Amino acid sequence: MTNKPRLVVSTGAGISAESGIKTFRDADGLWENYPVMDVASADGFRRDPALIHRFYNERRRQLGAVRPNRAHEILHELEEHFDVCIITQNVDDLHERAGSTNVLHLHGELMKVRALDDPDLTFRLESTECETTPDTRIDGHAVRPHIVFFQEAVPMFEPATELAAEADIFVIVGTSLVVYPAAGLLHYVRRGVPVYYIDPNPSPVPAGVTVIRAKATEGLARLAEILLKD
């Protein structure tokens, strides 16, 4: 148990972009020059599992070349004053590498794979250089990237809504608020709870939400000043 106020932070691609990770769908429905539905859908995996494995092998190698940025570090530092819970749409591990201790991944994790015959059985890969193929077996199980594809349910959404409902302060960082179900988390925050939205190009938000029009690093630095001024 903790007596610290619960600070729940919903993060999107914008917080990782400043570390050099390209945002999902940078342009024209492409992700790293691949059609999104080829590499991020259940149908795509059924059509060409080898392509899916190669694509996420490449994403892991990219992850090994980047580091957490100041925004990730600020969220870790805020744990000194708040019970910080992060709900992230990102599949990278930059929050964890910055030291954050309570991170819920809505859309899966690059550094994990899961058994095809048991969706609850996951395996953490040892390094960003690890590669998998349709022939890979771990403890006898064929595996797939531990990623929530389009056309699949988001199993961690309900736990995320529970966190949002427990927030004493709710913060949204680096997300367009148009990707559902993640964008719906705002609706689970209790009435009267302070809500802050950090984004350089923010989407329309309900009245009462404090908008900080800035990139994640600058916006979280400003937010920390606001939260700690008392």
Side-chain angles (χ1 to χ4, degrees):
M1 292 293 291
T2 176
N3 293 321
K4 297 175 181 177
R6 173 156 286 190
L7 175 62
V8 178
V9 186
S10 174
T11 68
I15 196 169
S16 294
E18 291 186 78
S19 287
I21 294 180
K22 290 184 180 179
T23 58
F24 183 63
R25 287 180 171 177
D26 266 339
D28 300 325
L30 298 179
W31 185 13
E32 297 285 356
N33 299 317
Y34 292 87
V36 167
M37 296 304 286
D38 284 356
V39 295
S41 73
D43 284 345
F45 185 70
R46 282 189 287 269
R47 283 196 305 269
D48 194 345
L51 171 64
I52 298 283
H53 279 277
R54 288 197 304 274
F55 181 79
Y56 290 98
N57 290 339
E58 292 171 6
R59 303 287 69 71
R60 280 193 292 275
R61 284 194 294 273
Q62 181 189 55
L63 182 58
V66 301
R67 298 170 55 86
N69 61 55
R70 184 62 188 139
H72 298 103
E73 293 168 354
I74 290 169
L75 289 177
H76 168 54
E77 292 165 5
L78 285 171
E79 291 188 10
E80 182 178 349
H81 306 278
F82 300 92
D83 176 17
V84 179
C85 302
I86 297 171
I87 303 166
T88 187
Q89 298 175 55
N90 301 333
V91 296
D92 61 61
D93 61 354
L94 296 180
H95 284 300
E96 289 90 343
R97 283 161 57 185
S100 289
T101 58
N102 191 346
V103 183
L104 184 155
H105 286 266
L106 271 181
H107 296 156
E109 301 179 59
L110 266 179
M111 292 307 299
K112 290 182 179 179
V113 293
R114 71 172 182 261
L116 285 175
D117 59 349
D118 183 353
D120 295 323
L121 181 59
T122 63
F123 305 94
R124 177 168 291 280
L125 300 173
E126 293 182 357
S127 81
T128 55
E129 296 301 313
C130 289
E131 296 191 352
T132 61
T133 74
D135 296 324
T136 298
R137 298 290 184 274
I138 300 179
D139 293 345
H141 298 273
V143 297
R144 54 163 278 180
H146 184 47
I147 302 294
V148 177
F149 294 141
F150 287 111
Q151 304 162 329
E152 294 181 332
V154 182
M156 296 307 294
F157 183 67
E158 185 173 346
T161 65
E162 293 171 0
L163 285 179
E166 296 168 355
D168 296 309
I169 305 166
F170 190 75
V171 180
I172 303 161
V173 186
T175 177
S176 63
L177 287 179
V178 297
V179 178
Y180 281 82
L185 289 174
L186 182 59
H187 303 303
Y188 291 86
V189 178
R190 289 173 290 130
R191 186 183 301 274
V193 167
V195 178
Y196 298 87
Y197 177 30
I198 299 168
D199 197 90
N201 300 294
S203 299
V205 290
V209 175
T210 300
V211 176
I212 300 175
R213 190 181 291 268
K215 291 184 178 180
T217 49
E218 177 189 347
L220 276 169
R222 287 161 57 183
L223 178 67
E225 290 180 0
I226 293 169
L227 296 181
L228 300 177
K229 69 180 179 181
D230 297 330

